Amino acid sequence: ARDAEGRAEEACTLALRTRAGATGEAAALPTAHDLAAAGLVECEGRHVVLTRAGRLVATDVTARLLLAGAGTR
């Protein structure tokens, strides 16, 4: 189970760093919206894309999203 969770987190981490972005879990949406208000991501539904400012701090943004439940599938 942990291997599957680790793969899901890695997939989310990598997808978030692409121009296409990542699809987040519902549990992470409040955090994603907070990050959007700070100008670090753009959200459309469950889809999250790093902004230019967000790419500069991508590791921190990704960590916040993962801790909030993104990348659990």
Side-chain angles (χ1 to χ4, degrees), residues 7-53:
R7 284 192 300 273
E9 287 179 2
E10 183 69 15
C12 179
T13 298
L14 294 173
L16 192 57
R17 285 167 164 72
T18 66
R19 287 186 180 157
T23 301
E25 298 299 320
L29 289 181
T31 299
H33 288 274
D34 290 345
L35 293 167
L40 300 174
V41 300
E42 293 179 356
C43 298
E44 186 172 319
R46 289 180 37 198
H47 194 75
V48 181
V49 179
L50 291 170
T51 62
R52 176 173 271 155

